Amino acid sequence: MAWAVARAGAGDGTGQARERLAGFRRELYRCFTARADALCELCDAVLCKQDRVHMLAELSLEPGHQRGHGALYDALNCGKVQVSRLRWALAGVPLPAWGDGRIRLAVDVSNWLRPDAATSPGRSFCHCYGRGNNSAQMIPGWPYSLVAALEPGRTSWTRLLDAVRLGPGDDLAAVTAAQVRGVAERIIAAGHWHDGDPDIVVIFDAGYEPARLAWLLRDLPVQVLGRLGTNRVLRQAPPPRRPGQMGPPVRHGCEVKLSDDAACPGPDVHTTTATSRYGAADARAWHRMHPKLKARGAWAGHQGELPVIEGTLIKLTVEHLPHDRAPKPVWLWTSCPDADPGEVNRCWQAFLRRFDIEHTFRFLKQVLGWTKPKLRDPAAADRWTWLILACYAQLWLARGLAADLRLPWQRPAPPGRLTPARVRRGFRAIHGTLPVLTAAPKPGKPGPGRPPGSKNRHPATRHDVGVRGHEKVPVYGQVEVLAGGQLKVPIPRSSCLPGLSGLGGDGGGVSQSPSPPRELLLKSARDRMDIISAYREAGTYRGAAAISGTTAKTVRRVIARHEAGGGAPVRSPREHNYDVVAALVAERVAKTAGRISAKRLLPAARAAGYAGSPRNFRRLVATAKQAWRVDHHRGRRPAVWSPGEHLVIDWGAEGGLHVFCAVLAWSRVRFVRFARDERSETTLAMLAQCLEVLGGVPGKVLADRMGCLKGGVVANVVVPAPEYLRFAAHYKSVPASSLADCSPGLPLAAS
């Protein structure tokens, strides 16, 4: 990229860094093809905010943001980001330099959890680890696959290069391979890698299939390094063929179970390295180790003979961990089949650097607020994700320009070792020295919006959570379905079923009747989602039925419906015995404005030919009234409350004593006194004392059926006692000026 190369004679390193940052910002502005000014100001607001980003609307209050919060949301929902051009812009930023000249990339999935976003399409079940054993959960959300370039040494910086949102039906290995291929091609085109340079090391954590990724990326200068679970079984290279041996050539040697350390053969390479953080690091490596592939799952449609993908198996054992004195061994596999001792050490050291991307994920979510917005459209979530990546790239370019504005309790950082949070704290001063890219906002006014009091007649469509075909974590054993549609997944000990590539079955005879049974129709969307998820995890109809609390036949029908497209069956309308009078009922309800009762309307319905039960007729009338009120709602006037208007009194009992309580509504005034009894004289004395404390008289006193204040009931109206009337008449004589703007009257309102 032309902007990424510092010009000759541009000045010292600070001047070159400032010019490179300004050039990246100009290229970023050109990537915004719609709502460019609003999107650019949103990026600046994220960078210049001195606190963490908690919500989108508060970013419009930043000094650099000239537009309102409406323009901010409009930019995310209706703006356009040229993602292909932004990818090239990120690839043009200089990559971290390693001493051996290798480029190290880390790939991992970070989840944007949206468990309550029922109207958001494209959600998948995301695997979330828990703190304790067997506490992992499957929560709906948007999983994003991110690629970052790693830096040497212990640091919290990485160079984010790409992000892809994984859909419910995507294959994790295929999408990741295509993503890594695009990143590698852009790195080569940008001039970061040349012919003769060492291969680019791409590092994956557990859950990926490194052998398949190595096969998909075999035509690129890429070395795959991934972590393996202890449930894996690999094969050694076949022994040399003996002279005169009959039969086809042997393709696989003896198997090596990673869970059985005692049965492992002697290593081909053995190194021991002293580290300051982990003590002695012992690495053992075996050459030409490969998995035995079968024509199932991802390899079901492979043309020709299945390949033998050889690599080096590495077992890393450290003396201790910072918080664990009994660490478990780590198994790694790299696509280099004959790794020497130096290559083995480089592999496990590069894998330890992969954990730097976890610091980047935490910074994106907790500081920049990547997953804070509650966006409905996944396209808007993608735009926000790319804005966050662009903001992080600007922070990386501003590392040499930011001042160390540390807090009083923070230690001074060495030169060039500022964390991303400290660089962001000083970015506001850097932003003032950069060219202004946005134009002044045009004057405008908000739209009319929905009329007050009207209902939303176009509710948003609700979407079920798709079953992830790219779930990384193999699951075994018992799976618990928690409240809210979440799944409690145990820690994996054995691999998934070898032939489970999609939602297949373990038995035939799926019902093909056009109308599903009644049990399937009664299942809600959440129940069907739980059944599909349980079948995905268990792999069998009976196992999913035990998890979901249903029958294997129901699980089979739900899976068959899901594979057929998941559409809800169209039910034919049923005839009712009140259809002959439905028009008459609708006419009478409209004529009486929804006030006629079913009891009064039933004789007319009998005369018109209705022969059903009164209960069924009441249902018809209630349905007709509800339909009439939808279009003839008169609306409601909002009540305006003011403190001092109502005083609520009541009696209670506690430990043999009577408690008089008075609460002045819409205020913080509370009055509590103890008494011996609940007679009328005691009640009036307590009320008089309460009024003296208040310094005024409320408009109404509300009592809950106090027999001591009720004189009787006349024509269904409560008549107060004579003592209470004299009490009210006494307080009516108080001048209004001393009542603190309260009504001087004291009527009784007994419920």
Side-chain angles (χ1 to χ4, degrees):
M1 307 295 291
W3 59 267
V5 181
R7 302 181 200 168
D12 55 0
T14 302
Q16 293 179 1
R18 194 180 307 276
E19 181 182 357
R20 188 178 293 114
L21 175 59
F24 177 81
R25 289 172 56 84
R26 287 191 295 268
E27 184 67 17
L28 175 63
Y29 185 80
R30 298 187 189 100
C31 296
F32 302 146
T33 56
R35 311 294 198 278
D37 292 340
L39 291 173
C40 189
E41 288 186 356
L42 179 57
C43 287
D44 294 342
V46 173
L47 291 170
C48 297
K49 183 176 174 57
Q50 297 301 302
D51 194 7
R52 297 183 177 185
V53 177
H54 301 286
M55 57 185 299
L56 283 178
E58 67 180 4
L59 295 176
S60 62
L61 305 178
E62 291 298 313
H65 197 281
Q66 307 179 62
R67 291 160 174 80
H69 64 278
L72 185 148
Y73 282 97
D74 180 68
L76 287 179
N77 293 323
C78 303
K80 293 182 180 180
V81 179
Q82 197 173 356
V83 176
S84 59
R85 184 168 185 171
L86 184 53
R87 283 192 172 109
W88 281 101
L90 293 175
V93 178
L95 296 180
W98 288 74
D100 57 355
R102 286 179 180 266
I103 298 175
R104 292 165 172 81
L105 304 179
V107 183
D108 203 354
V109 174
S110 185
N111 302 318
W112 185 339
L113 301 181
R114 298 301 309 277
D116 300 328
T119 59
S120 296
R123 293 185 303 159
S124 306
F125 282 110
C126 304
H127 185 271
C128 300
Y129 288 95
R131 291 184 176 272
N133 294 332
N134 300 333
S135 60
Q137 295 181 359
M138 303 290 289
I139 302 178
W142 290 319
Y144 280 85
S145 175
L146 290 95
V147 181
L150 303 178
E151 290 192 1
R154 295 174 57 186
T155 178
S156 57
W157 285 98
T158 59
R159 269 279 294 109
L160 293 174
L161 299 174
D162 194 15
V164 173
R165 178 171 51 85
L166 302 174
D170 292 343
D171 182 12
L172 178 64
V175 174
T176 305
Q179 184 182 19
V180 173
R181 179 179 296 275
V183 171
E185 292 175 351
R186 289 190 294 270
I187 287 176
I188 296 173
H192 301 308
W193 187 92
H194 304 278
D195 293 336
D197 292 349
D199 291 346
I200 302 173
V201 180
V202 186
I203 309 168
F204 302 91
D205 198 6
Y208 292 89
E209 183 55 47
R212 187 184 175 202
L213 291 170
W215 174 259
L216 296 175
L217 302 173
R218 62 189 181 278
D219 57 335
L220 292 176
V222 167
Q223 178 183 347
V224 174
L225 174 63
R227 182 179 180 180
L228 300 179
T230 56
N231 57 343
R232 299 297 303 274
V233 178
L234 299 182
R235 294 299 185 102
Q236 290 181 308
R241 189 178 182 85
R242 298 189 303 271
Q245 183 178 356
M246 305 297 291
V250 180
R251 306 181 71 229
H252 310 288
C254 299
E255 67 177 19
V256 176
K257 297 182 179 180
L258 305 189
S259 59
D260 191 1
D261 294 342
C264 291
D268 298 323
V269 176
H270 184 197
T271 63
T272 302
T273 307
T275 63
S276 59
R277 187 173 179 82
Y278 307 105
D282 183 82
R284 301 170 185 265
W286 292 265
H287 292 160
R288 302 183 62 187
M289 301 292 293
H290 63 275
K292 183 179 180 180
L293 305 179
K294 297 182 180 180
R296 293 182 294 186
W299 300 94
H302 183 77
Q303 300 295 331
E305 191 177 22
L306 292 176
V308 176
I309 309 171
E310 294 184 337
T312 299
L313 178 65
I314 303 173
K315 177 185 178 183
L316 175 64
T317 306
V318 297
E319 188 176 356
H320 59 80
L321 293 177
H323 304 290
D324 189 359
R325 298 186 178 275
K328 298 180 181 180
V330 177
W331 293 91
L332 306 175
W333 186 91
T334 179
S335 57
C336 180
D338 299 309
D340 56 7
E343 183 65 25
V344 170
N345 289 334
R346 279 192 295 269
C347 287
W348 68 261
Q349 291 172 4
F351 179 79
L352 294 182
R353 292 271 59 82
R354 191 212 67 85
F355 293 98
D356 294 341
I357 198 174
E358 304 295 341
H359 300 285
T360 302
F361 290 160
R362 188 191 318 184
F363 178 76
L364 297 183
K365 293 181 178 181
Q366 297 184 0
V367 180
L368 299 186
W370 173 32
T371 58
K372 293 295 184 181
K374 305 301 182 183
L375 302 174
R376 176 188 298 175
D377 190 5
D382 293 344
R383 295 187 195 98
W384 174 248
T385 300
W386 281 106
L387 290 184
I388 293 298
L389 263 64
C391 293
Y392 191 81
Q394 295 183 57
L395 293 177
W396 194 88
L397 291 171
R399 294 170 64 179
L401 304 175
D404 187 11
L405 303 180
R406 62 186 182 90
L407 298 177
W409 54 85
Q410 292 178 340
R411 297 179 181 179
R417 300 290 295 177
L418 292 180
T419 61
R422 293 199 186 187
V423 173
R424 179 173 177 263
R425 197 176 300 150
F427 192 86
R428 177 176 290 185
I430 303 173
H431 181 265
T433 63
L434 298 174
V436 179
L437 302 176
T438 59
K442 298 179 180 180
K445 59 181 180 179
R450 189 191 308 163
S454 63
K455 293 185 177 180
N456 181 16
R457 300 184 183 275
H458 302 282
T461 305
R462 294 181 174 269
H463 304 272
D464 291 342
V465 182
V467 178
R468 284 181 56 176
H470 52 265
E471 178 56 42
K472 297 197 311 180
V473 180
V475 180
Y476 78 100
Q478 191 72 14
V479 183
E480 263 186 78
V481 181
L482 304 179
Q486 301 175 359
L487 299 179
K488 185 176 181 181
V489 183
I491 296 178
R493 287 198 304 244
S494 60
S495 60
C496 292
L497 296 180
L500 191 60
S501 60
L503 290 177
D506 58 351
V510 179
S511 175
Q512 300 295 332
S513 60
S515 59
R518 179 174 177 82
E519 183 180 1
L520 182 58
L521 293 175
L522 294 179
K523 294 293 183 182
S524 64
R526 182 178 295 274
D527 295 337
R528 295 194 301 271
M529 176 184 67
D530 294 341
I531 292 174
I532 294 172
S533 304
Y535 178 77
R536 181 62 180 170
E537 302 300 336
T540 61
Y541 293 141
R542 293 184 178 180
I547 295 172
S548 306
T550 182
T551 62
K553 186 181 294 185
T554 302
V555 174
R556 185 175 59 190
R557 290 167 178 167
V558 171
I559 297 303
R561 173 180 171 183
H562 177 77
E563 291 180 341
V570 179
R571 301 181 61 178
S572 58
R574 293 190 306 171
E575 295 184 357
H576 302 87
N577 56 1
Y578 52 73
D579 291 341
V580 293
V581 295
L584 174 65
V585 171
E587 179 185 357
R588 294 293 183 89
V589 168
K591 186 176 180 180
T592 60
R595 297 177 181 176
I596 192 170
S597 63
K599 183 178 180 180
R600 173 169 294 186
L601 190 55
L602 182 58
R606 296 289 190 189
Y610 176 70
S613 63
R615 178 182 180 184
N616 209 22
F617 185 74
R618 287 195 298 268
R619 293 177 179 174
L620 172 63
V621 175
T623 304
K625 288 182 178 181
Q626 184 178 6
W628 184 87
R629 293 191 183 103
V630 169
D631 298 327
H632 300 81
H633 195 275
R634 64 180 182 179
R636 298 182 179 88
R637 292 185 301 171
V640 180
W641 306 101
S642 60
E645 185 176 357
H646 295 84
L647 181 67
V648 183
I649 62 174
D650 201 356
W651 281 98
E654 180 67 29
L657 296 177
H658 299 275
V659 184
F660 178 83
C661 302
V663 178
L664 191 63
W666 303 100
S667 69
R668 298 185 178 181
V669 178
R670 305 290 186 269
F671 179 82
V672 179
R673 293 292 186 273
F674 293 93
R676 296 181 179 178
D677 51 52
E678 299 181 5
R679 294 186 302 174
S680 175
E681 296 81 0
T682 307
T683 303
L684 296 180
M686 292 295 178
L687 185 57
Q689 186 178 357
C690 176
L691 296 180
E692 292 179 2
V693 173
L694 294 179
V697 180
K700 290 185 178 180
V701 176
L702 305 180
D704 186 15
R705 300 182 183 274
M706 283 192 178
C708 59
L709 301 180
K710 183 172 66 173
V713 179
V714 178
N716 292 330
V717 177
V718 177
V719 178
E723 297 83 2
Y724 191 42
L725 290 178
R726 289 192 295 270
F727 182 87
H730 169 74
Y731 278 95
K732 276 187 179 181
S733 62
V734 179
S737 59
S738 64
L739 297 180
D741 298 332
C742 293
S743 174
L746 189 66
L748 174 67
S751 58

